[in-house]
Amino acid sequence: MNKIQIQRRHKSTPYETDYAQWCAEQGALLREGRLSDLDRENLAEEIESLGRSDKREIESRLGTLLLHLLKWQFQPERRKTGWLLTIREQRHRIKKLINESLSLKAYPRKQLASEFEFARLKAADETGLPEKDFPADCPYQIADVLDQDFFPGAPWTSDQLVRE
């Protein structure tokens, strides 16, 4: 019996038992063209979840970005280098996700209001400012939110940032 015949007799690792091993086996089966041996239902679910994962990452990064834009705008005297770096990184990572999956280009716009709602609550908690001090609706356009040169509020220079 050759190696291929032995492998064909090998029962695949169940998805629920060892996920990493299951992934390796499914990848090998795909590469070998053994489509009838694939765990099609779980494999389809995993592939679909990859798209959901990118959406969740955009949501998370957009929420963090909005939180820091609010802090930047409403606490200009406390602007920190860390806030600047966080704003820049979130914009960069969102852009990278969109460039890798162009079908997600409109997704940040769709999530803006929802993510702003939670970012507003977090901004109030983190800054100690009353919730009413923050706008109820997002005051930023998505193009501005994602623009590396957009910073709301009073003009600033890097020498004004609080060093951490």
Side-chain angles (χ1 to χ4, degrees):
M1 226 184 272
N2 66 31
K3 184 177 179 182
I4 293 176
Q5 289 172 325
I6 292 170
Q7 286 179 340
R8 287 183 197 264
R9 287 186 179 175
H10 171 72
K11 185 169 171 61
S12 294
T13 301
Y15 175 85
E16 302 81 17
T17 304
D18 186 337
Y19 179 72
Q21 180 64 34
W22 176 86
C23 286
E25 290 171 0
Q26 296 303 301
L29 291 170
L30 277 169
R31 283 187 186 84
E32 293 170 13
R34 293 171 48 194
L35 304 182
S36 63
D37 293 333
L38 290 171
D39 178 355
R40 289 191 311 262
E41 193 58 39
N42 284 319
L43 189 56
E45 182 64 33
E46 285 302 311
I47 290 170
E48 289 167 351
S49 77
L50 293 174
R52 289 190 301 269
S53 174
D54 283 351
K55 285 182 174 182
R56 283 191 298 270
E57 184 173 351
I58 288 174
E59 291 166 8
S60 175
R61 291 188 179 283
L62 182 59
T64 299
L65 175 54
L66 290 167
L67 166 64
H68 282 79
L69 289 174
L70 285 169
K71 292 192 306 185
W72 187 272
Q73 181 175 356
F74 289 91
Q75 287 195 314
E77 71 286 352
R78 299 189 68 191
R79 289 177 181 162
K80 302 176 182 178
T81 304
W83 293 0
L84 173 66
L85 296 176
T86 297
I87 290 168
R88 291 202 190 282
E89 179 178 3
Q90 301 316 307
R91 287 172 169 162
H92 171 76
R93 300 287 179 205
I94 291 169
K95 180 180 178 182
K96 189 174 178 182
L97 282 164
I98 291 169
N99 286 341
E100 291 172 356
S101 298
L102 294 177
S103 64
L104 296 176
K105 186 174 183 175
Y107 195 68
R109 178 177 287 108
K110 291 177 185 174
Q111 295 304 308
L112 185 63
S114 172
E115 291 306 318
F116 180 79
E117 185 178 340
F118 189 54
R120 178 179 180 262
L121 295 173
K122 287 176 71 174
D125 292 342
E126 283 192 25
T127 63
L129 296 172
E131 201 177 307
K132 65 176 180 50
D133 285 1
F134 297 98
D137 297 315
C138 186
Y140 319 124
Q141 298 298 311
I142 193 64
D144 291 332
V145 170
L146 299 177
D147 180 350
Q148 282 289 5
D149 295 324
F150 172 76
F151 290 88
W156 61 280
T157 61
S158 59
D159 61 321
Q160 296 170 321
L161 298 178
V162 175
R163 302 291 174 201
E164 299 175 276

